[in-house]
Amino acid sequence: MSSKLSSPGTQRLRLLVVEHSEDVYESLVAELRAAGYALVARRVATAAELEAALAEPWDLVATDWTLTGFSGQAALELVAARAAFTPSIVIASAQNEDAAINALGAGALYFLSKDRPRIFVAAIDRALREAAERRARVEAERELRLSEERYRLGFIVAPEALLTYDLDHARILDANPAALRLFGYSLDEMRAAEPGELSPPAQPDGRPSPEAARTVVARSAGQHAIVFDWTFRAKDGSPIPAEVRHVQLPSSLGVKLARATIIDLRERNRIDEMRRRSIELEVQNRRIVEANRLKTEFLANMSHELRTPLNAVIGFAELLHDGAVDPASLEHREFLGDILASGRHLLQLINDVLDLAKVEAGKLDFRPEPVDVGKLLGEVVTITRATAAAKQIVVTTAIEPGVDKLVLDPNRFKQIAYNYLSNALKFTPERGRVELRVTAESEASFRLEVEDTGIGIDASDLGRLFIEFHQLEAGASKRHQGTGLGLALTRRLVEAQGGTVGVRSVRGEGSVFHAVLPRVARRIDAVSPTAIAPPRLGPRSVLVVEDDERDALAIAAQLGEAGYACEVVRTGSEALARCRSRTFDAVTLDLLLPDMDGLDVLTLLRAEGHVRTAPVIVVSVVPDAKLIAGFTVHDVLRKPLERGELQRALERAGVRPDRAGGILVVDDDASALKLMDVTLAQLGYSAITRSSGKAALDAAEQLGPSAVVLDLMMPEMDGVEFLDRFRSLPAHARTPVLIWTMKDLSVMEHAQLRESAQAIVSKNGHSPSTVVAQLRALLETGGS
């Protein structure tokens, strides 16, 4: 192979000359050296000499055409056989057209005449260049063949399924054995199959269509690859969820080719589902363990609290019954007072439990009236005077001028104030101080505060104060008795009236508990259907607690696409503030927040009335089930979220996106309204509940329900009259109606009703889920 010297214009050349004439050889050598070649040359004259010389490498062979006992054609054939890539030229004694044709056919690049020595150098230059180019082409072709062979071998043995597509004609060109096994087709069947079965939808440039792409883009080895999720169909019709890496291939044939690498996700999805269920079970188990612990603790506390006054009642009653005390003595009267006080204490404990149950069931009533708040506080202080005197605690009251026109339920207000005051007296040491204050909060509300100089509360414990049956001191070692119901009931009583509770405290310095209540409370009756099951309109709302902007946007986008309304807050304090001002159907919570620990936020959220029972879904980069054990969460998701993962979690928690229009439920039974409202909500429908036919007709005109669940037995306007008037409304001539009633219908009544109603379900033995199943069928068929 020739190569350049260091000096310009000089080129090394190894030249083998087949020639009888020494003069011709010397002339050729002289011409080349004069042209600047650094020459290494040898002359041979016989076939044997040529064959021996070809054992060495040469850049060029020059041969005479006419040789004694030998020929130029034989020399060319020998060169072709022994040194195929060495270029050859012929330098003949005279021009001969036939000889030139034969020489070129035998492999010579040029046929030159000895009488034109000036063209030798130029011809040799061209011959060397052409030979170099030919060698390069041959080498490139060899490398290409090797590359194609390696590629083909890799295609065949690859463990992943590989498909090659012709994008211009939307067809499969090739599939490796892994793909044939995955889909169950032969190669011929795959080439003849419908593209939609075995390929994701693609645009003309080879990129997946927007509905298929997952927004994961990678660049590798100069190729633009798009990675996305897609579900294929196997030959047997079974779905194959997969991750697809889609790459457009280079092609010199004018055809657009693409390669898809397909990762079967079924096993990974199965493992992920098992892992998710394992976390769910662990969380539920921890929750059950915590619930059992709280139950055991509550029963122990409650049994102690009940036995203490009961033992006093029995003990003093036995003394009086046995005549051990003179009926005329002061001691006899004192014992009667102790029995009375213990009985009242027992009654208070039982009332607390019953009140809590009533609040849970929405059956606690409030009967407000104009009150003298100073007088009410005075009565509360009087009740606790003995306790305060025993510990020499000074109790004072202060009422801000102007906070006098209050309309409250006096008994409920005294219950709230008593719970706060008795709690303050319990935890305030001897010779301490407790103050009750009433101040203005706003034009529409006022604040009750109870401040003590007691032992105070650690900041980490504040979130647990208002939780049912939960005490900061637990077990046999606790120093202060109680059931853990007082503060929890106080919170429920305040929130049921539209107010809020709170506390601020410093360990060792005391605490200030407060309740903010409306100045004019509204009347709430225990059997008010509107209070039990208010209509819920609009999409389901989700509070997103996330400080990372990208994650917040991703979660909001998923919720918006699924049909939820969402509100994003960045900190725990913002989340608590929003939950005090409005209701959310669910909460997503990151555990890593800038201002407070996510678990503390979770604890405080569970103490807020508006979201106390709303599903909470933890979405975090560190969703360790051990961290959240004992906390009431419905699901645990790891960042980054996969498409649809959050919606599936919300649906598992019973928070499905609302369907448009809502379902109008017409029934004068408050329990039936509540049952249907809860059942419809769990399945993603808005319930518009009305307890009379007239109110239901108004709702039908204003809210446009998509279906109606109707009771027949109602006062004033029964279901039959409502149905007639409802069908007269132009917008509801064909709206599906399902009758759900206790009434036993005759065959004639049944037939008449079926002319206007699409389905009839008896309340006897049929649950709301039966009604919902019928509704779903009606809505899917358009009510036909």
Side-chain angles (χ1 to χ4, degrees):
M1 181 70 69
S2 61
S3 60
K4 291 288 184 180
L5 288 172
S6 58
S7 60
T10 302
Q11 183 176 353
R12 291 189 180 94
L13 174 63
R14 290 179 57 83
L15 175 67
L16 179 62
V17 181
V18 186
E19 174 63 56
H20 286 290
S21 171
E22 181 70 24
D23 293 339
V24 173
Y25 168 71
E26 291 295 340
S27 175
L28 178 60
V29 168
E31 288 286 342
L32 291 172
R33 284 177 175 158
Y37 278 99
L39 195 64
V40 175
R42 181 191 300 181
R43 184 178 68 85
V44 296
T46 67
E49 290 175 347
L50 175 59
E51 187 170 2
L54 289 176
E56 301 177 34
W58 299 97
D59 294 326
L60 181 69
V61 176
T63 181
D64 193 358
W65 186 249
T66 304
L67 300 166
T68 304
F70 195 28
S71 70
Q73 182 161 347
L76 292 173
E77 291 173 353
L78 190 57
V79 171
R82 298 299 177 88
F85 290 102
T86 302
S88 303
I89 64 173
V90 174
I91 303 177
S93 299
Q95 286 286 355
N96 184 317
E97 185 175 346
D98 290 337
I101 292 173
N102 291 335
L104 295 175
L109 294 177
Y110 297 104
F111 191 92
L112 307 176
S113 176
K114 292 180 180 179
D115 59 2
R116 300 179 65 188
R118 292 183 178 179
I119 69 171
F120 291 171
V121 174
I124 289 174
D125 284 343
R126 289 196 300 272
L128 292 173
R129 286 197 301 270
E130 290 178 11
E133 291 172 358
R134 184 178 66 178
R135 283 194 296 270
R137 283 197 304 274
V138 171
E139 182 65 21
E141 290 171 357
R142 188 181 71 84
E143 287 297 329
L144 179 60
R145 287 194 299 272
L146 289 175
S147 176
E148 289 176 347
E149 185 63 27
R150 287 193 298 268
Y151 175 80
R152 186 62 190 171
L153 182 61
F155 183 82
I156 292 173
V157 302
E160 303 89 0
L162 301 175
L163 298 178
T164 303
Y165 296 100
D166 175 355
L167 297 175
D168 289 327
H169 300 89
R171 62 193 179 97
I172 295 173
L173 297 177
D174 204 357
N176 70 341
L180 301 180
R181 291 192 297 270
L182 177 64
F183 295 113
Y185 288 99
S186 68
L187 181 57
D188 290 338
E189 287 174 328
M190 294 193 75
R191 288 171 173 167
E194 288 293 327
E197 293 294 318
L198 295 173
S199 63
Q203 301 179 35
D205 62 358
R207 292 183 295 109
S209 59
E211 64 267 22
R214 178 159 52 93
T215 72
V216 179
V217 179
R219 291 186 181 273
S220 175
Q223 294 178 323
H224 187 188
I226 301 178
V227 183
F228 58 94
D229 293 338
W230 190 253
T231 300
F232 295 88
R233 289 285 173 187
K235 184 177 181 179
D236 61 6
S238 60
I240 303 176
E243 180 182 274
V244 183
R245 184 183 181 87
H246 199 275
V247 180
Q248 189 164 348
L249 301 177
S251 174
S252 60
L253 303 178
V255 178
K256 289 181 181 177
L257 302 178
R259 166 65 42 77
T261 302
I262 301 166
I263 307 297
D264 187 354
L265 298 183
R266 287 176 295 184
E267 181 64 17
R268 191 176 80 180
N269 290 348
R270 186 184 68 83
I271 293 173
D272 288 346
E273 180 65 17
M274 290 176 61
R275 185 182 298 114
R276 186 192 63 77
R277 290 184 178 179
S278 176
I279 292 174
E280 271 188 357
L281 290 173
E282 185 174 351
V283 170
Q284 291 175 4
N285 183 61
R286 293 299 184 96
R287 196 180 302 145
I288 291 171
V289 170
E290 176 66 9
N292 285 334
R293 186 187 69 78
L294 292 176
K295 180 196 71 174
T296 302
E297 186 176 305
F298 167 70
L299 290 176
N301 292 338
M302 181 57 78
S303 63
H304 176 85
E305 293 294 320
L306 292 174
R307 284 193 183 105
T308 299
L310 190 58
N311 287 337
V313 169
I314 294 173
F316 288 123
E318 284 181 345
L319 290 174
L320 297 178
H321 180 269
D322 295 341
V325 180
D326 184 357
S329 68
L330 292 176
E331 191 176 35
H332 186 278
R333 183 176 181 83
E334 181 182 343
F335 285 1
L336 287 175
D338 291 333
I339 292 173
L340 180 60
S342 296
R344 286 174 174 169
H345 182 58
L346 276 172
L347 180 62
Q348 183 62 49
L349 291 174
I350 295 170
N351 285 339
D352 282 350
V353 175
L354 293 177
D355 281 347
L356 193 64
K358 287 180 181 178
V359 173
E360 288 280 359
K363 296 181 178 180
L364 192 65
D365 56 355
F366 295 89
R367 303 181 182 278
E369 60 186 58
V371 299
D372 180 344
V373 70
K375 180 181 178 182
L376 296 180
L377 290 182
E379 293 174 2
V380 172
V381 172
T382 300
I383 296 172
T384 60
R385 182 176 296 159
T387 303
K391 299 177 70 175
Q392 301 180 45
I393 296 174
V394 177
V395 179
T396 60
T397 60
I399 301 174
E400 182 179 312
V403 189
D404 51 359
K405 295 181 179 179
L406 302 178
V407 178
L408 306 170
D409 183 319
N411 293 326
R412 299 304 182 192
F413 177 76
K414 288 195 295 183
Q415 191 174 0
I416 294 166
Y418 173 81
N419 286 342
Y420 273 167
L421 179 56
S422 60
N423 191 70
L425 293 173
K426 181 192 301 183
F427 293 100
T428 299
E430 292 185 356
R431 297 183 177 85
R433 179 180 56 82
V434 176
E435 182 177 28
L436 289 82
R437 294 190 294 269
V438 174
T439 59
E441 179 75 10
S442 68
E443 292 184 358
S445 61
F446 74 97
R447 174 183 288 253
L448 168 67
E449 289 188 339
V450 179
E451 181 176 5
D452 64 62
T453 58
I455 61 177
I457 306 163
D458 291 332
S460 60
D461 290 330
L462 293 177
R464 297 187 291 153
L465 284 173
F466 294 94
I467 299 176
E468 289 86 348
F469 313 128
H470 204 111
Q471 292 181 285
L472 302 187
E473 292 180 328
S477 62
K478 72 178 187 176
R479 294 165 295 170
H480 304 88
Q481 298 302 320
T483 61
L485 289 179
L487 291 179
L489 180 58
T490 300
R491 175 175 64 85
R492 295 298 192 87
L493 291 173
V494 172
E495 289 175 351
Q497 299 176 78
T500 60
V501 298
V503 60
R504 60 184 188 273
S505 181
V506 177
R507 189 69 174 178
E509 298 182 12
S511 306
V512 180
F513 285 81
H514 74 264
V516 176
L517 289 162
R519 296 193 184 201
V520 179
R522 62 187 179 90
R523 181 185 181 92
I524 301 176
D525 294 322
V527 294
S528 170
T530 56
I532 295 173
R536 182 174 52 255
L537 305 175
R540 292 299 182 91
S541 61
V542 180
L543 177 65
V544 178
V545 188
E546 175 59 67
D547 66 314
D548 185 275
E549 184 174 357
R550 289 177 299 179
D551 291 339
L553 289 174
I555 294 172
Q558 281 205 25
L559 292 172
E561 290 174 2
Y564 296 92
C566 71
E567 184 171 343
V568 179
V569 295
R570 309 295 186 187
T571 65
S573 56
E574 285 181 284
L576 296 172
R578 293 302 296 131
C579 291
R580 292 186 184 110
S581 62
R582 60 160 296 183
T583 299
F584 293 92
D585 295 296
V587 177
T588 73
L589 174 65
D590 188 7
L591 295 180
L592 302 176
L593 297 172
D595 62 333
M596 58 196 306
D597 186 83
L599 297 181
D600 292 338
V601 175
L602 180 58
T603 300
L604 295 172
L605 285 176
R606 285 308 184 207
E608 294 298 333
H610 291 307
V611 292
R612 186 180 60 82
T613 59
V616 173
I617 297 173
V618 170
V619 181
S620 182
V621 294
V622 288
D624 189 348
K626 295 180 181 179
L627 292 177
I628 56 176
F631 291 85
T632 51
V633 299
H634 283 70
D635 221 322
V636 182
L637 305 181
R638 182 182 296 276
K639 295 179 181 177
L641 292 175
E642 295 184 358
R643 181 178 293 275
E645 187 179 16
L646 181 55
Q647 180 183 352
R648 292 191 292 272
L650 287 169
E651 290 180 350
R652 286 194 297 269
V655 184
R656 293 172 173 81
D658 280 330
R659 276 60 176 237
I663 308 298
L664 175 60
V665 183
V666 191
D667 202 315
D668 66 326
D669 183 353
S671 298
L673 288 176
K674 183 176 181 180
L675 279 173
M676 190 58 66
D677 177 61
V678 173
T679 304
L680 290 170
Q682 289 177 345
L683 296 173
Y685 293 96
S686 294
I688 307 168
T689 56
R690 294 294 183 269
S691 58
S692 70
K694 183 179 182 303
L697 287 173
D698 292 340
E701 290 186 291
Q702 296 172 12
L703 304 177
S706 56
V708 177
V709 176
L710 174 66
D711 185 20
L712 294 178
M713 302 173 66
M714 295 184 296
E716 298 180 8
M717 182 190 299
D718 63 15
V720 176
E721 183 182 353
F722 167 84
L723 189 56
D724 289 338
R725 296 175 64 176
F726 178 76
R727 287 298 185 211
S728 67
L729 300 175
H732 296 295
R734 297 179 59 82
T735 300
V737 174
L738 187 149
I739 292 175
W740 188 40
T741 184
M742 291 283 293
K743 184 178 182 180
D744 293 325
L745 299 175
S746 65
V747 175
M748 182 177 296
E749 287 175 331
H750 200 280
Q752 290 174 343
L753 288 171
R754 285 305 302 264
E755 293 179 3
S756 297
Q758 280 65 40
I760 300 173
V761 178
S762 172
K763 287 185 178 179
N764 295 318
H766 290 90
S767 67
S769 60
T770 306
V771 179
V772 172
Q774 290 271 9
L775 271 175
R776 180 178 291 167
L778 292 177
L779 292 171
E780 289 175 351
T781 59
S784 58

